[in-house]
Amino acid sequence: MKTLYLVRHAKSSWKQPDFRDYDRPLNHRGERDAPFMGNLMFEKNILPDIIISSGANRAITTAKTIAETINYPLEDLIKEDSIYESSAGQLLDLINSIDDSNSSAMLFGHNPGFTMLSNYLSDRRIDNLPTCSYVRIEFNTDSWKNVEIGSGKLIEFEYPKKYLK
């Protein structure tokens, strides 16, 4: 059994129009939501074997915040720039390359790729992965190489606005 968590970055700031999209930081809501979702994951005993994050500022900041909250070692967090602006197919290639010694993997990244990937891989369609949301998809396989379109079961879909207003 393999378990995949897709986590969209927390809400980012648009206050600095001269910043490249890649460099945008989290805004106030993002700074609130990331630790909240980390605490939710901690309460659910979610601790992936591997965390891989887009290198974009808003994604890596979200990943580090959640990793700290769930007691995942920051030095083990993998930054993968190819996640930024990746298509669902490119993300699937990344998932297929995860070492099989990892039973669970958590990816931090962006829309539209993450929503499309969730819909491609799982048995349930979602309209949108909101900022700082995550899905948990399980695959009845012993190898990440066998993860393919339609092979997963969507087990969980959590997002901050479900709890915070």
Side-chain angles (χ1 to χ4, degrees):
M1 176 78 68
K2 298 295 184 192
T3 302
L4 175 67
Y5 297 91
L6 298 175
V7 186
R8 185 173 172 205
H9 64 78
K11 191 78 171 162
S12 60
S13 174
W14 291 87
K15 285 186 177 176
Q16 296 92 355
D18 54 328
F19 274 30
R20 295 182 315 146
D21 180 69
Y22 188 87
D23 297 327
R24 285 190 292 117
L26 297 183
N27 70 9
H28 176 70
R29 194 171 99 201
E31 290 171 350
R32 176 200 71 182
D33 290 352
F36 176 83
M37 292 303 287
N39 282 321
L40 181 67
M41 290 177 188
F42 181 79
E43 289 170 10
K44 293 176 179 247
N45 294 313
I46 295 172
L47 182 58
D49 297 319
I50 187 171
I51 293 179
I52 306 170
S53 177
S54 159
N57 188 19
R58 60 195 180 274
I60 197 75
T61 301
T62 304
K64 286 178 179 177
T65 300
I66 289 177
E68 283 182 319
T69 308
I70 63 174
N71 296 318
Y72 183 89
L74 287 182
E75 63 272 11
D76 293 344
L77 195 150
I78 298 166
K79 185 173 99 169
E80 178 55 60
D81 282 325
S82 69
I83 293 174
Y84 180 71
E85 295 187 339
S86 283
S87 68
Q90 292 165 319
L91 292 166
L92 181 54
D93 289 343
L94 174 64
I95 292 163
N96 291 151
S97 74
I98 295 172
D99 189 281
D100 287 333
S101 64
N102 299 294
S103 295
S104 60
M106 185 175 284
L107 271 59
F108 285 82
H110 313 270
N111 266 351
F114 271 34
T115 296
M116 289 172 29
L117 182 63
S118 176
N119 290 334
Y120 286 159
L121 295 179
S122 73
D123 59 340
R124 288 188 6 221
R125 179 170 171 70
I126 57 173
D127 291 330
N128 179 50
L129 263 160
T131 53
C132 213
S133 65
Y134 75 86
V135 293
R136 182 178 83 189
I137 304 170
E138 291 184 351
F139 303 91
N140 189 17
T141 183
D142 291 329
S143 178
W144 290 104
K145 290 171 186 57
N146 296 331
V147 171
E148 58 187 18
I149 293 174
S151 65
K153 181 173 182 170
L154 184 74
I155 303 298
E156 188 175 23
F157 174 30
E158 295 285 3
Y159 49 95
K161 283 190 178 178
K162 198 172 180 180
Y163 301 92
L164 305 169
K165 302 297 177 203

